[in-house]
Structures are given as structure tokens and as C-alpha cells.
Amino acid sequence: MNDLPSRLLRRVVSLRALIACVYAVLLPLAAVRAMRISSENGMERLIQPDDPDYIATRAFQKIFPDRPTVVLVFDADWSAPSLERIEQATDALRKVPHVSAFSVLDAVRRARPGASPEELHKLASGTTFFEKQGLMRDGLLSIACDLDVHSSKERDEALAGIDRAVAGKGPVRRVGAPYAQAWIEEQSGRASARYFPYFGALIVAATLFLYRSVRTLFAFLLTLATTVALAVAAGGLLGYNFTIVSVLVPLTVLVTTLAALVYLHSRFVDMPAVAGDMPAVAGDTPGGDGNLPGGVDLGEHQIAALRNKLLPVTASMVAAILGFAALAVSKVRPVRELGIWTAVGLAIAWVVSFTLFPALQRIFRTPTGKARTEAGLYERLAQFLPGFTFRHRWLFVGGAVLGSALGAAALFGIPGLLKPMSVGTDTATYIDPSLQLRRDLTWFRSHVGDFNVAHVWIHLPKANALEPETLLAADQLQTALERLPHVIQTIGPTTFLRLRRYFAGQGEALPQDPAQFAQAARDLEQLLLTEPGLRGYIDVNGLQDLNITVVFEEGDAQGYAALTAGIGRVFEGLHAQGFEGAQARAVGESLLQVKVGASLVPTLATSFAITAALIFVVFLFVFRSGTARLLAMIPSIFAILVTFLGMRLFGAPLNVATILIATTVLGTTETDQVHFFHHLHEREGAPLGEALLHALRVSGHAMVFVTCINAAGFLALSFSSFPPLRQFGLVTAAAFLLALVADFTALPAGLFIVDRLHGTAPGRPPKSTHRPRSP
């Protein structure tokens, strides 16, 4: 062959020394750049920075810093020894840098200095305020710790200081987002270190098993290491950081590149010396430049093998690149970055596969194979499958369609009958159930309460936040909000006035008469100087902003939507003079987290549709048959939808990782179909049974081995202690195997159904004159 692709490939091989030197320089540079990429694995990274709610929340936090809180729950009654233990722990916590601590004892002791434990208990239990905040229950007393931290390092140091402060103070349960976020960041950061050794061992074992050549192993390892280093470094050049799901970038690039190398090298090992129907190469070549037995030149043999696989490898890579690039539509920032990052990495993988790998094949003198004269197990399977799938074609295709339909129903739901699968962003589901941290959180929710927090940000038209009419309107708004369903408590500008009035023996309710209210609130300005906590509800600088914190249950998307709608109705219906011209908006981290969950299913549906459409377009240019374009996608779509059906049946959750299964599986498994149809069309015009047998013989072995390697590679994530990655690895591996089953059953069965020309009996394909060796 002397077409343009062949000439370019010859040029690559002829420049092998130069190419190897260039990559030898790039590899360490890329590795250094990759190691300098910082990690941002927190859940807060899940939202796009241009999202309106994200912008509003960050603007609100500049006025009212929303400090993360840790709650420490002690088994304690109101006896003197127990109170002394709580106070000792509180004093120790206040000595920790960046930590401020508060307990119910602080409030009641200030109100009743020198009171007995019994009097303090009576005073604390006379109001529901402390109980609703989770600071006290029967037999329990809690300390709330606010963390004034501005980085992950400061947070981790503060948490370590808290642990030291409460050590030896008796059993204590630790609950709070900072503990969960610290653990999630640590585990997602460790994921790569855990699976890379496993995957390295897998590559070594698979390469030696398939090709029985140390030289081939070195070529594979150097190509894969270079590809991953360049792909990861590219993310750094794009300005990306490691996030909660970015561990999937190097893994996806690894398995996709490995699949391409297996297809390329298997063809080099097994293909006939020259493209066409010439006999297979016999014997083993001991060294690089020279002739194979039969006078076939090794260089031409390599070019012919590369040229034969250029189209299917390129088509499959392009389809995968476009599939992952489709994730750019996501509003979830790490998902969007992962899609673009992976697409760039796969483009790099294609370049390395057709430059460095052919150069290393010649430099290391990787051996070709030996022809087999005996019919092996796979050869008998290849002979058996065409007739078998023809006889049961309706069963296989019908089963694939039924499984896909059930999977679609399980994922997207059936209106009026079945709800769609919900996406979880609950922090607890991201923590390993075996950990004490997860057990403490579960216990707290069942015994104390499942607290979700929202903030009502009120912006006033003028600086009158301390005017009595404004404060009266705020108090009326708090009271009205507490009547909403699932609202546990509100805390706002007048909460401190209520508590002061209660401790004075006048009850918690503030007078609603404007004159009496003005008298009760006359010294609120003085309280702003003595009560730092009050500044979290009134902007002391501009006096134009108020904050009302709402603690509520039902923190899912529906619950938050109902709360937000209720806040809007209450505020609009409140015709208080103090709020004329004011604006109110619900903000907060909980809102952002829920919004992420609500956007994940649209991300799945949209990116999946775009991916399928783009891959269909790629197939449009590769295959002339419209039927082939459709049938080629059957195994992948079947595997994806049946996987979601299994997740629904076995209770596996949709989360920020498992939501990526569709794109990952579709972008990876279509490689098999591309290669299968490419070799099927090599026998275009022949009876379908004969064409199927040829495609199964040439590409079938590689399809089996690539799928098994991919499944085993993603299965490595099952060793992760981070539940989303562990679930993603298990489910994706299962999807790969399902796709392989469909490749050998539903796909040929579908071809038989639509085929109108049966040149030979499908059940008895013509015997081949040669049998390519299994890799």
C-alpha cells in the first residue's frame, strides 16, 4: 500500500529514534507538571461559578460569613460532674486556633450566675430554643464549634485540635460538614494511589499473557506512562485541579489507550503479511529490521498492520473524544471539567498510539506471532456463533430491546407509575458506612434531628436595619416562616431579644404593638457591641442587610423547592412597613448542594443524547450502511440501560460518580463495535455468515481481551473506601461485560434480522483457508 496514510506511517517509523527522544524529553516535564496540580476535592466544587445562586450565596457570605460548624455530642445529664466535664471541654476547645465554642451552659450561666445545676436545667428546658438547635436532649449535651478557616489546611488543623481538646472527656460523637468534607477530600485524593498499582499489575499480567514478550511489555508500559502523564499535565495547562471525580480522567485514558494498543498490536502479531487474503505469517522474528519467513519485510508488515487498524482506532477514539466532550453541557463543574479533560487526554492518546508506540515496536523489536494449526476454543466459538445467533435472532434482539426498555423506565421513570431514579448529594452517602464518622452522623439524625439550613437574605432599600419597624417586620417574618411545613426553627435579628426577654422572666414572644416593640428593641444597637453572634444577622457596616437562618427538615430537592416557594409567599404576603422596597432571596450551601443533585439527571440525559448523536455521526462517515450505524450502538445502549435497571433493583444510588456511567460506557464500548464492523465490511458482498465469521476471527479475540481488561481496570476502583468511586467501578465493570455479551449475541442477531441477502446458509459459514492466531 502506498496511499497517504501508509506513507505517513512509514515516515513515523523511519523517524522512530527522533520520536522516542522527543517523548523522552516530554515525559519528565509532563510528570512534573502533573504533580503540581492542586486538589480541590470538596463538595463545594460541584457547582458552576457563574450559577446565579452560587453568585448570590458568595455575595451573601461576604456580608454574613457562613462559618462551618461542628457539633460535639456528649452523654451527659445536669449533674455537677457532667456540667464540669462539659465546661472543661468548652474551655479546651476555645484554646484551639480558629475555633469558637458554645454550649447551652454559656447562655444559662450568664443569665443565672451561681445557680445550681437543677436551676440551670429548669432554665434551659423552659424554652425550645436550645433543644431545636440540637444543643440538648434528655441525657445529652452538645457543644457547637464554629470554624473560622479559609483553607483545607486550616480546617484540618482545627479539626485535629478539636479532637485533641475532647480527648479523655468521655465518649463524644462528632458531627458536622467539616469532618465529612475532610474525609471525602482525603479519600478521593488517595484513589489514584490505590488503583494505579493494581492497574499496573493488570497491564503486566495481561500483556505477558497475550503476547508472551517482555519487549512488548516495555513498549506498552512506556506508551501508557507517556500518555497518562501528558493527559494529566494537559489538565494542569487548562487550569483544572483534581476534584472529587477527576480520578476517572487518568483511568479512562489508561483503559482506552490500552484498548487501542491491544487492537494495534494484536493485528501486528496476527495479521497476514500484506493486507488482503494472503496467508498468515508463520514463525517468529527474533529481531527488528529484516525479513519474516516467506520473504515478507517486517517493516511492510508493521505498516500494513497499522494501516489496517488506522480507521477503526481513529473512529473509536474520535467517538470517545466527542462523547466525553459532550459533558461540557453539565452545570456541575467537576463533571464539566472531567469531560473536557478526558476528551483532551484521549486526543493525546491517539497521537501517542500512532507515533510513540510504532516507534517502540521497532526499537524494542517486538516479535510477531506464530500461526496455529489447531482449532482452539475461540475458533470453535467463532464457527458456532453465526448459526446460533441466526436461529435465536428474535430471542436475542427481543431480549435486548426489552432489557433496554426496562432500563429506560427504571432510570427516567413512568409518569404516574414510577418515579425516576433520584440523585443523592447527601454527604452521608459519600462516607463509608463502616466508619465511626458515618455512624455518628446516622445516630445524630435519628436521635437529635436531620438539620438542613437555609438563609433568607433581606436587602433593604436604605440603611434602616436597626429601626424598630424594620425589626418588627423581621420578627413577624420569622414567626410566619416557623409556621411553614418542615421548618424546625428560625434564627434572626430578634432572636437575641427573645432570649433576653425569656431570661428576664417575660416569656419569649416579643410585643407586636409598635410602641411596645420599640421599647423592647431600644438597646439592640448596644447588643451588637456585646454579642458577636448577633452580627451574623444584622450587617453592622451598611445596615442594609438582614439574615434569617431557617433550620428545616426534608432537605432534598423537593423539600428545598417547597421551602423556597414558601419563603417567597410569606415575604410577599407580609405587608409590613419596615420591608417596603426590600428584596428577599433564599441562599446558602444547602441550596447549592441540592441544585447540584437536581442538575445531575439533566446532565445524564443531555450528555447521553449528545454522545449518542455524535457517535452516530462518526459511524455515518465510517460505515455506509444506515442499518450498520444503528445496529452498532445496540450493545452499548443495552449495557447502559440494563446497568441502570440493575442499580434500581439492587438499590445502588445515582451520585456525582455513577451519573457518569452512561458517557463512560458508551464512549468506551463503542470501540468494539467500530472494529467489529470495520472487519465485517472487509467481506462486503460476501454472505453475511461468512462476513460475520471473518469479523469474529479477526477482531473477536481482541474484543474479549479488551473488554476483560477494561472491566478489570475499572474494577480496581472497588478497592476504594470512597463509596461513589467504589460503586462506579463495580457498576461500570458490569456494564462492560454486558456490552460484550450483546456484541456476540444481539448484534449478529440484529444483522441477520435486517439482512435481506443470504448468499449461504447462515448457520454454516464457509470454512476459512487460514485461522489467525489468538493473541
Side-chain angles (χ1 to χ4, degrees):
M1 293 181 292
N2 197 35
D3 56 2
L4 178 61
S6 298
R7 293 196 298 271
L8 292 176
L9 291 170
R10 286 192 184 93
R11 187 64 174 166
V12 167
V13 174
S14 68
L15 296 175
R16 54 188 177 274
L18 176 61
I19 290 173
C21 290
V22 170
Y23 280 111
V25 173
L26 290 177
L27 177 57
L29 294 176
V32 171
R33 184 63 187 88
M35 289 187 291
R36 290 181 177 176
I37 299 177
S38 60
S39 296
E40 294 183 359
N41 297 314
M43 298 292 289
E44 68 276 3
R45 286 275 298 166
L46 297 180
I47 193 73
Q48 280 293 105
D50 58 353
D51 181 86
D53 289 316
Y54 179 91
I55 295 172
T57 297
R58 294 297 176 256
F60 167 81
Q61 290 173 343
K62 289 180 179 179
I63 302 172
F64 302 108
D66 194 6
R67 295 175 178 172
T69 300
V70 167
V71 178
L72 306 173
V73 185
F74 294 81
D75 292 329
D77 54 23
W78 286 82
S79 64
S82 291
L83 298 187
E84 182 180 2
R85 180 162 56 94
I86 297 299
E87 290 179 317
Q88 288 176 351
T90 305
D91 291 339
L93 289 166
R94 286 175 178 152
K95 296 177 183 178
V96 177
H98 307 293
V99 175
S100 59
F102 172 81
S103 74
V104 64
L105 293 179
D106 295 316
V108 295
R109 282 205 184 278
R110 287 179 57 187
R112 297 287 191 276
S116 66
E118 291 78 11
E119 292 173 324
L120 294 176
H121 182 208
K122 182 178 180 181
L123 183 63
S125 58
T127 174
T128 60
F129 176 80
F130 301 110
E131 183 175 351
K132 287 181 177 180
Q133 282 208 311
L135 293 176
M136 58 177 290
R137 286 288 193 277
D138 290 339
L140 302 173
L141 287 174
S142 300
I143 302 175
C145 300
D146 290 336
L147 277 57
D148 184 14
V149 295
H150 302 90
S151 66
S152 297
K153 182 179 179 181
E154 287 186 355
R155 179 205 60 208
D156 295 342
E157 291 174 350
L159 293 178
I162 290 174
D163 292 340
R164 289 192 299 269
V166 299
K169 302 295 191 299
V172 56
R173 297 178 177 88
R174 299 165 176 82
V175 179
Y179 276 110
Q181 291 169 355
W183 185 85
I184 289 172
E185 290 180 17
E186 178 187 13
Q187 295 303 313
S188 57
R190 287 182 177 181
S192 295
R194 289 187 176 183
Y195 84 72
F196 262 111
Y198 171 91
F199 198 81
L202 174 65
I203 294 171
V204 172
T207 306
L208 292 178
F209 173 77
L210 292 177
Y211 307 113
R212 297 172 177 85
S213 168
V214 175
R215 287 173 284 169
T216 301
L217 173 62
F218 285 155
F220 268 61
L221 291 178
L222 287 175
T223 303
L224 291 171
T226 302
T227 301
V228 173
L230 291 173
V232 175
L237 295 177
L238 291 171
Y240 296 159
N241 297 313
F242 288 123
T243 65
I244 194 172
V245 293
S246 59
V247 63
L248 301 179
V249 174
L251 177 59
T252 303
V253 171
L254 263 177
V255 297
T256 306
T257 307
L258 182 58
L261 298 185
V262 168
Y263 277 115
L264 290 174
H265 198 66
S266 294
R267 199 62 172 142
F268 172 72
V269 168
D270 287 337
M271 117 170 236
V274 181
D277 293 322
M278 291 184 66
V281 177
D284 192 8
T285 179
D289 298 322
N291 294 330
L292 294 170
V296 178
D297 181 74
L298 176 62
E300 289 303 310
H301 171 76
Q302 182 188 24
I303 299 304
L306 290 170
R307 180 65 182 88
N308 184 260
K309 281 297 184 181
L310 178 62
L311 176 61
V313 169
T314 301
S316 61
M317 282 284 196
V318 170
I321 289 169
L322 295 176
F324 280 99
L327 291 174
V329 303
S330 176
K331 295 185 180 298
V332 182
R333 180 166 35 171
V335 173
R336 177 182 178 180
E337 292 180 356
L338 176 139
I340 299 173
W341 195 346
T342 305
V344 172
L346 292 177
I348 292 172
W350 181 87
V351 174
V352 176
S353 297
F354 282 101
T355 54
L356 179 60
F357 184 65
L360 293 177
Q361 280 181 311
R362 295 298 297 275
I363 291 172
F364 290 140
R365 301 179 178 183
T366 57
T368 59
K370 294 180 179 179
R372 279 187 178 176
T373 57
E374 77 279 8
L377 176 62
Y378 180 79
E379 173 66 19
R380 293 194 295 271
L381 178 65
Q383 291 276 2
F384 170 76
L385 278 175
F388 178 71
T389 53
F390 172 76
R391 288 191 298 274
H392 303 286
R393 58 193 181 279
W394 290 108
L395 175 63
F396 287 134
V397 173
V401 171
L402 177 61
S404 300
L406 293 176
L411 177 61
F412 299 110
I414 302 175
L417 296 176
L418 183 67
K419 291 183 179 180
M421 291 181 68
S422 59
V423 180
T425 57
D426 183 3
T427 302
T429 62
Y430 288 75
I431 303 174
D432 195 294
S434 64
L435 296 179
Q436 185 63 44
L437 176 63
R438 172 73 175 269
R439 293 197 293 268
D440 285 350
L441 180 57
T442 303
W443 178 92
F444 185 87
R445 289 178 173 180
S446 60
H447 290 81
V448 179
D450 184 7
F451 295 161
N452 303 279
V453 177
H455 299 283
V456 182
W457 179 15
I458 303 171
H459 182 70
L460 305 170
K462 54 184 178 180
N464 62 343
L466 292 178
E467 295 296 326
E469 58 269 21
T470 302
L471 294 173
L472 177 59
D475 189 68
Q476 292 172 345
L477 179 60
Q478 283 187 236
T479 302
L481 290 176
E482 288 181 345
R483 298 193 187 104
L484 292 176
H486 306 297
V487 172
I488 301 172
Q489 184 184 45
T490 63
I491 307 170
T494 61
T495 299
F496 290 83
L497 296 177
R498 294 184 186 184
L499 286 175
R500 190 180 62 164
R501 187 176 178 87
Y502 165 73
F503 288 141
Q506 298 175 310
E508 292 184 72
L510 292 171
Q512 297 301 297
D513 177 75
Q516 295 179 358
F517 185 91
Q519 183 178 3
R522 65 182 182 276
D523 57 352
L524 186 63
E525 188 171 355
Q526 183 64 32
L527 280 176
L528 281 171
L529 301 176
T530 60
E531 296 290 347
L534 181 57
R535 299 169 205 165
Y537 302 94
I538 300 176
D539 176 25
V540 297
N541 296 317
L543 296 178
Q544 278 192 271
D545 296 279
L546 301 174
N547 167 32
I548 296 177
T549 299
V550 182
V551 182
F552 66 103
E553 299 173 318
E554 303 294 331
D556 56 7
Q558 292 79 10
Y560 217 109
L563 176 68
T564 303
I567 291 172
R569 288 194 306 269
V570 170
F571 187 80
E572 291 296 328
L574 190 62
H575 301 290
Q577 184 178 359
F579 279 167
E580 288 182 356
Q583 296 177 337
R585 178 168 188 164
V587 295
E589 295 294 335
S590 296
L591 170 62
L592 300 183
Q593 187 170 322
V594 167
K595 193 166 186 176
V596 167
S599 66
L600 283 177
V601 168
T603 290
L604 169 65
T606 304
S607 64
F608 181 76
I610 293 175
T611 300
L614 291 174
I615 291 178
F616 181 83
V617 171
V618 172
F619 287 179
L620 180 66
F621 289 97
V622 177
F623 309 127
R624 292 186 294 275
S625 169
T627 301
R629 294 194 296 271
L630 292 174
L631 291 177
M633 302 182 70
I634 287 179
S636 297
I637 294 177
F638 164 78
I640 291 167
L641 294 176
V642 171
T643 296
F644 283 120
L645 174 62
M647 291 176 63
R648 185 79 183 241
L649 293 175
F650 292 101
L654 278 178
N655 53 45
V656 70
T658 56
I659 203 74
L660 301 172
I661 289 171
T663 298
T664 302
V665 173
L666 186 58
T668 304
T669 58
E670 46 74 33
T671 299
D672 296 337
Q673 289 94 58
V674 170
H675 285 272
F676 181 86
F677 273 90
H678 173 71
H679 294 294
L680 187 72
H681 285 298
E682 289 179 342
R683 292 294 186 269
E684 191 168 8
L688 180 58
E690 179 182 327
L692 279 174
L693 180 60
H694 172 75
L696 289 170
R697 281 174 165 170
V698 175
S699 64
H701 279 98
M703 289 169 61
V704 172
F705 289 125
V706 165
T707 299
C708 292
I709 291 171
N710 287 347
F714 278 90
L715 197 62
L717 292 176
S718 64
F719 293 103
S720 174
S721 57
F722 186 41
L725 289 182
R726 182 169 64 237
Q727 295 154 1
F728 177 85
L730 291 170
V731 174
T732 304
F736 286 146
L737 296 177
L738 284 172
L740 180 64
V741 171
D743 284 334
F744 287 99
T745 55
L747 181 56
L751 288 170
F752 276 121
I753 288 177
V754 300
D755 182 59
R756 298 178 180 178
L757 298 174
H758 298 286
T760 60
R764 291 187 294 273
K767 299 294 182 181
S768 175
T769 59
H770 69 277
R771 292 168 182 169
R773 169 187 179 273
S774 171

